[in-house]
Amino acid sequence: MPALSLDLGPMCLVSVTGQDVDTYSMDLHSEVCCEDQEQAEALLQRLVFKREDGTFVLKTPPNFGPIRSQCYLDVVGPAYRPVIITGAYVKVEVSAVTAPVTVATSHSSTSLFEVSGRVDASARDGVIVFVGNRGDAYLDADLGIDIKLTERDYHGTIRATAAGPVFALIPSEFITPFEVNVTRAEQAVFQTELLSKLKRQKEKGMVVVTHGSNPQSPLKFVSRGEMVSIDTYSTG
């Protein structure tokens, strides 16, 4: 396949891991919580996983009141091939993929670990977690974004925008310039050791706080209504 494309049904947890391989392996299982064995088996029969025009479509069993279903899909595939995921009421994890990754979900959580290609991730009524040290990441989430940068110099760009809070954890010796945009000054919260290195100004109704001398900061963290918090940690 030129790319891994997944269209997920509700109540699905999917994990995609990139490795030095040329083929895909997939493991799928589903659980139904129900007191009636026959009804549970009938619901499981409604689980469908098939390929349609280059996209793997996962249709999950429905939930009825106290009857709950949950699907788990684990995929291991070539790190160098793109990943495209869509879905609602899902949990998505993508790790160690070097090709472009596109995730568009709603009412969900998306976690991206050491994904070093271009990332376009949107989570309507959801959250995004990003951990890594390289790549061009464009993140947009309604409920919030959590970021951990794992090296003192980030190689690439990040544009993280949320209606909710944005939390970024960076190494204490971090040298890559970054910019924070919030609606009010008190919504920009920084570790004490960063305060002496910051510049504040107002632009187009937003409070802009910059760290570093680069006027075009490669890292930009924006909250449209809540706080942006930058904290540091020791890598030693």
Side-chain angles (χ1 to χ4, degrees):
M1 297 184 298
L4 174 67
S5 180
L6 299 171
D7 183 3
L8 306 173
M11 306 306 295
C12 177
L13 281 71
V14 61
S15 170
V16 178
T17 304
Q19 291 188 358
D20 186 16
V21 295
D22 293 320
T23 58
Y24 291 94
S25 64
M26 299 183 182
D27 179 70
L28 171 66
H29 72 276
S30 182
E31 301 172 353
V32 173
C33 207
C34 176
E35 294 182 357
D36 187 319
Q37 180 72 17
E38 291 185 1
Q39 188 176 28
E41 292 177 355
L43 283 172
L44 283 175
Q45 294 302 316
R46 300 176 69 171
L47 174 68
V48 177
F49 188 47
K50 61 181 179 179
R51 190 173 178 180
E52 296 180 353
D53 298 326
T55 296
F56 285 96
V57 178
L58 176 58
K59 297 181 180 179
T60 53
N63 291 319
F64 299 109
I67 302 174
R68 312 299 295 175
S69 67
Q70 184 72 68
C71 292
Y72 303 85
L73 175 63
D74 294 315
V75 182
V76 175
Y80 60 86
R81 288 185 184 159
V83 174
I84 304 165
I85 299 175
T86 58
Y89 296 96
V90 296
K91 182 177 180 180
V92 176
E93 294 185 2
V94 182
S95 305
V97 174
T98 58
V101 173
T102 303
V103 181
T105 59
S106 64
H107 303 86
S108 61
S109 68
T110 297
S111 298
L112 305 157
F113 301 110
E114 304 298 341
V115 178
S116 56
R118 178 184 170 108
V119 174
D120 292 278
S122 63
R124 185 171 60 83
D125 290 324
V127 298
I128 295 174
V129 174
F130 179 87
V131 179
N133 63 15
R134 63 186 61 247
D136 296 322
Y138 300 88
L139 315 174
D140 193 304
D142 285 347
L143 301 185
I145 299 174
D146 289 346
I147 296 171
K148 181 179 181 181
L149 305 182
T150 57
E151 300 289 344
R152 65 190 298 267
D153 189 11
Y154 187 84
H155 301 280
T157 59
I158 296 177
R159 296 291 183 266
T161 304
V166 177
F167 296 96
L169 189 61
I170 62 176
S172 53
E173 65 276 17
F174 196 66
I175 61 173
T176 304
F178 62 80
E179 176 183 310
V180 168
N181 284 206
V182 290
T183 56
R184 300 193 308 272
E186 62 269 21
Q187 292 174 329
V189 180
F190 299 91
Q191 181 80 358
T192 303
E193 64 187 67
L194 295 173
L195 293 178
S196 63
K197 305 173 184 178
L198 301 176
K199 297 180 181 178
R200 298 173 184 261
Q201 59 185 1
K202 280 194 172 184
E203 292 183 7
K204 299 179 180 178
M206 299 287 285
V207 177
V208 179
V209 184
T210 56
H211 176 276
S213 58
N214 188 345
Q216 299 296 325
S217 300
L219 312 181
K220 188 173 182 179
F221 311 119
V222 181
S223 176
R224 294 188 290 266
E226 296 194 32
M227 67 183 298
V228 174
S229 176
I230 311 292
D231 205 347
T232 63
Y233 70 99
S234 174
T235 58

